[in-house]
Amino acid sequence: MPELPEVETVVRGLLVALPGRRILSVRLGKTDFIADPKLLSERLPGSRIGGVSRFGKFIFVELAGGAHAENSDAQLHLLIHLGMTGRLTACAPSEPVLPHTHVFFALDDGNELRFTDPRRFGKMRLVTDAWMDDLRARWGEDALAIGAEEFAQRIGSRSARIKALLLDQHTVRGIGNIYADESLWRAKIHPARRADRLSAKQLRTLHRAIRTTLLAAIELKGSSFSDYVDAEGNPGMFQRMHRVYQREGKGCRRCGCAIQRVQIAGRSSFFCPRCQPAPRARKKSRARG
DNA sequence: AGCTCTTCCTGAAAGC
DNA sequence: TGCTTTCAGGAAGAGC
């Protein structure tokens, strides 16, 4: 399940293989996850790849030129989301093709960029600079870029449960189920707590916990459970460091108490019942005086 | 408006 | 053993 650290790892790998390369041809398999497959095969051939960067869980591949590129306003770039099982790898064309590989880009150095995605929760589309500007302006800030103050501002006034907000990409971009649980455990905050009932100190602690967790995961090249691999096809190592995720019934690494699991926002949420105390139900307007 | 639930998809794992 | 059922999850869209 690629979240921010996994996507960051893929991008770092692609930065070695892609910038400066020209896309010679495009070959497509299933295309129901591509916004406009015809546009993709028409416009990409001839494009030169510039930078590769990450925004939340999106991979942004900057392009220059390409077929029918009359003016720079119409320059299209490639936006890719790995969804849950997406893999983006650069390799020799002679490498065996994994099942569910739906996109092949032939590159001018003889290598091939492939997109593999069994579940096809991934997304691929060509976007203009204006489209990207709009995305950056209207959607959440990247989880590693956001400051403590803006984080508290975006989160602190909301009545939704904190876990649901961390998963909502319109609030903060890049956090998924694994790193939401790991960050909340680190910050000692129960996933079902209402965001607007967290103290300012807890919001600061959570902001820091998210940064620490994400940066540590990037160091270890992400978490691999089922499908995730980096751009070279290697798994990450952070899953060995997980404190709560997928550890139901096992001992909390801080206090030894058995990790519990609840459903929040339709997702399994793992937490320590002792370190992360449950929210207490407030009684409505009890008669005073 | 804001929040939560449902849906998409496939393969691994659990259940019978 | 082999089939069926359940579950996992990102994010859009529906529903409340």
Side-chain angles (χ1 to χ4, degrees):
Chain A
M1 341 150 181
E3 302 179 27
L4 189 151
E6 290 76 33
V7 178
E8 177 68 26
T9 304
V10 169
V11 165
R12 289 181 184 187
L14 294 176
L15 276 172
V16 177
L18 296 186
R21 300 277 61 78
R22 195 175 283 280
I23 297 173
L24 300 180
S25 64
V26 174
R27 187 154 57 90
L28 302 177
K30 288 190 180 178
T31 57
D32 56 355
F33 60 95
I34 303 176
D36 188 341
K38 191 158 166 273
L39 187 70
L40 204 79
S41 20
E42 282 177 3
R43 295 286 292 268
L44 281 189
S47 299
R48 176 85 62 186
I49 298 174
V52 182
S53 54
R54 180 190 61 74
F55 179 53
K57 301 175 195 171
F58 284 108
I59 297 170
F60 184 58
V61 182
E62 250 180 290
L63 301 173
H68 318 293
E70 310 81 21
N71 59 73
S72 58
D73 290 346
Q75 180 60 56
L76 295 171
H77 307 290
L78 184 59
L79 193 62
I80 301 167
H81 197 297
L82 298 178
M84 179 173 176
T85 53
R87 298 183 179 204
L88 194 59
T89 54
C91 62
S94 55
E95 291 281 315
V97 175
L98 288 171
H100 309 287
T101 300
H102 306 299
V103 180
F104 302 79
F105 296 138
L107 305 176
D108 64 354
D109 62 353
N111 280 333
E112 202 166 61
L113 181 65
R114 296 177 183 171
F115 182 76
T116 306
D117 189 1
R119 269 168 235 193
R120 303 205 303 286
F121 276 20
K123 291 277 182 288
M124 197 176 283
R125 74 184 308 153
L126 290 177
V127 297
T128 59
D129 287 304
W131 199 95
M132 275 305 288
D133 289 345
D134 193 49
L135 187 157
R136 288 175 200 277
R138 289 188 302 115
W139 296 5
E141 178 76 271
D142 185 84
L144 277 182
I146 194 169
E149 239 169 78
E150 197 190 340
F151 178 81
Q153 207 169 15
R154 277 182 179 268
I155 298 270
S157 60
R158 307 279 300 272
S159 63
R161 290 167 292 182
I162 185 63
K163 170 73 181 274
L165 285 181
L166 292 181
L167 293 180
D168 178 3
Q169 305 297 300
H170 295 267
T171 310
V172 178
R173 302 205 73 86
I175 302 169
N177 207 34
I178 296 175
Y179 298 103
D181 281 5
E182 294 296 315
S183 301
L184 286 168
W185 177 85
R186 189 180 279 271
K188 301 186 182 177
I189 295 170
H190 191 285
R193 290 286 304 276
R194 275 177 56 150
D196 57 4
R197 289 184 186 159
L198 296 174
S199 68
K201 187 182 174 187
Q202 282 179 312
L203 287 171
R204 278 199 305 277
T205 304
L206 180 56
H207 174 258
R208 176 125 305 264
I210 289 168
R211 283 191 68 82
T212 308
T213 304
L214 293 177
L215 291 171
I218 290 172
E219 282 287 304
L220 292 178
K221 301 183 186 297
S223 307
S224 289
F225 271 107
S226 52
D227 297 80
Y228 166 73
V229 292
D230 67 16
E232 289 89 41
N234 305 309
M237 286 297 157
F238 190 73
Q239 65 276 10
R240 296 183 187 176
M241 305 293 287
H242 288 175
R243 292 296 184 254
V244 281
Y245 185 75
Q246 287 290 342
R247 296 193 66 249
E248 185 181 15
K250 294 178 181 166
C252 170
R253 305 278 196 209
R254 258 190 316 245
C255 74
C257 192
I259 297 299
Q260 290 183 9
R261 159 168 159 158
V262 289
Q263 284 283 121
I264 295 173
R267 296 283 167 266
S268 283
S269 297
F270 300 89
F271 66 99
C272 168
R274 191 182 295 167
C275 295
Q276 299 164 266
R280 271 191 286 173
R282 282 191 190 178
K283 292 205 173 152
K284 283 182 198 170
S285 61
R286 179 184 300 185
R288 268 171 285 196

